[in-house]
Amino acid sequence: MTAPEAGRGIGNGERAAEITTTFVGLPRDSFRILHVSTGNVCRSPITERLTRHFVAQRLGVLGGGLIVESAGTWGHEGAPMEANAETVLADFGADASGFVGRELLDEHVIRADLVLTATRDHRAQVISMGHSAGLRTFTLKEFTRLVKAIDPATLPPLEDGVVTRARALVRAAAALRGWLLAPTAEADEVYDPYGAPLTFFRSVGDEIHEALDPVVTALTGVPARA
């Protein structure tokens, strides 16, 4: 995005009330994953829809109480996904239909059990909103690095429910954060493809795929199909 990745006034009471009404009917025992980028038209839509797709591949349906969504710190409210992002999702066989961009609101952070951001700047903005978000907010690549270091045998089995397993995974990752640092600052970044050609979007899509695969495997306890 051309807009700076610095925060702006996020959320207001009227809009938050509107968002609250959209959650009526969702299972009470749920685990909500929130993907965050800048405009919510490129990186976070790709990550949201790929997460849904990969979970469905492993579990058969996106069920078990997992809810996956996205928003942007400078979100283009009501905007469609970028066409190149849709193409990237089609490359992976993921569904891009019905997507609508959202601006990040307090309500989204409050309800999220895990927030995965494109960059460290986004992570800092989410944490600065408060709501005790620090222990459940990571960059996507940071979370991947931490998840890879967790012994799957220490997590609850899928028979206990994907929600129970997911909550344990986040606690384990948060406990490791101070011990397993990135080799470089750039290692935790997914760079913005906004306005770039399709080849760069596909490169970003491959990065996101590589980062998501071990995360979804850890969440579900089911490896990707060969």
Side-chain angles (χ1 to χ4, degrees):
M1 302 296 301
T2 55
E5 293 191 347
R8 61 177 174 178
I10 299 174
N12 60 65
E14 181 179 351
R15 178 60 176 148
E18 177 186 338
I19 286 294
T20 300
T21 65
T22 69
F23 298 126
V24 174
L26 290 173
R28 295 184 67 182
D29 189 21
S30 61
F31 184 90
R32 189 181 300 273
I33 302 172
L34 175 65
H35 293 291
V36 175
S37 63
T38 303
N40 194 215
V41 292
C42 299
R43 289 168 291 183
S44 51
I46 291 173
T47 315
E48 173 199 317
R49 294 307 176 94
L50 282 184
T51 302
R52 294 185 185 184
H53 180 65
F54 295 151
V55 170
Q57 282 184 324
R58 287 161 168 80
L59 298 182
V61 292
L62 183 58
L66 280 183
I67 301 164
V68 185
E69 51 193 4
S70 63
T73 55
W74 280 75
H76 292 189
E77 188 75 23
M81 190 185 310
E82 283 290 299
N84 282 345
E86 290 189 1
T87 300
V88 167
L89 288 172
D91 290 344
F92 289 107
D95 182 15
S97 64
F99 180 85
V100 178
R102 303 191 306 176
E103 182 177 0
L104 182 67
L105 301 175
D106 291 277
E107 189 72 24
H108 302 142
V109 177
I110 290 167
R111 292 184 175 272
D113 297 287
L114 171 62
V115 184
L116 297 176
T117 70
T119 69
R120 292 168 297 144
D121 212 26
H122 297 130
R123 181 186 63 194
Q125 289 176 61
V126 172
I127 293 172
S128 74
M129 294 171 72
H131 315 304
S132 303
L135 291 178
R136 51 195 168 90
T137 303
F138 310 79
T139 73
L140 171 62
K141 289 186 175 181
E142 174 191 22
F143 194 66
T144 301
R145 183 175 68 255
L146 298 171
V147 162
K148 286 180 175 180
I150 297 169
D151 182 356
T154 64
L155 298 174
L158 190 57
E159 289 75 15
D160 289 353
V162 68
V163 170
T164 298
R165 185 181 178 93
R167 288 174 178 160
L169 183 67
V170 173
R171 289 194 299 269
L176 281 175
R177 177 150 42 190
W179 299 92
L180 194 62
L181 303 178
T184 65
E186 290 72 24
D188 282 344
E189 306 283 292
V190 176
Y191 290 108
D192 195 348
Y194 185 75
L198 180 57
T199 52
F200 188 69
F201 267 84
R202 282 181 164 144
S203 174
V204 168
D206 288 341
E207 276 188 71
I208 292 171
H209 173 279
E210 183 178 352
L212 277 178
D213 182 69
V215 170
V216 176
T217 295
L219 281 170
T220 64
V222 180
R225 298 171 186 172

